[in-house]
Amino acid sequence: MLSSLNLFSFTTKYDVLKIILQKGFRYSKWKETLPKSSFEQENYIICFCDIPWEQNAEHRKCYGNNGLVMTKEWGVQNQISPVRYINSTSVGMS
């Protein structure tokens, strides 16, 4: 299984967790170009991962071992939307 019932937010810096707990999550601006077009869009995002704990060691190596865990139920209640990663050969792009 590639998905978990939980959402994780990892960081390398423990102090960042304290700031999130005090002030909430902070959106970051992300620019992307849509596949098969030159249309560029800006999104304001907060990244979570839902890789099962037993399978996310590589993810933690990249983003850090300090983290917060929320249930997906919490995510739905807080209007968090899943991301679908696409490229020019993804289903539906032809």
Side-chain angles (χ1 to χ4, degrees):
M1 175 192 255
L2 183 57
S3 187
S4 167
L5 295 176
N6 297 305
L7 300 171
F8 301 93
S9 178
F10 294 109
T11 179
T12 56
K13 299 177 182 172
Y14 179 75
D15 289 343
V16 171
L17 295 182
K18 292 193 282 188
I19 292 169
I20 292 170
L21 291 172
Q22 292 169 352
K23 299 182 179 189
F25 289 101
R26 186 189 85 195
Y27 291 90
S28 298
K29 185 170 24 174
W30 179 262
K31 288 184 182 181
E32 64 183 334
T33 302
L34 299 179
K36 294 193 175 187
S37 78
S38 59
F39 181 75
E40 186 177 89
Q41 66 182 26
E42 290 183 354
N43 299 302
Y44 291 85
I45 63 172
I46 301 171
C47 293
F48 298 95
C49 119
D50 70 344
I51 301 168
W53 183 260
E54 316 70 55
Q55 298 175 22
N56 70 25
E58 288 299 315
H59 191 82
R60 287 184 282 123
K61 281 182 190 175
C62 181
Y63 295 102
N65 282 314
N66 301 297
L68 297 172
V69 181
M70 291 75 50
T71 64
K72 282 190 179 174
E73 179 182 351
W74 174 90
V76 170
Q77 291 170 352
N78 286 277
Q79 302 176 332
I80 291 176
S81 299
V83 173
R84 177 178 173 219
Y85 295 99
I86 60 172
N87 60 55
S88 60
T89 61
S90 294
V91 173
M93 292 303 297
S94 59

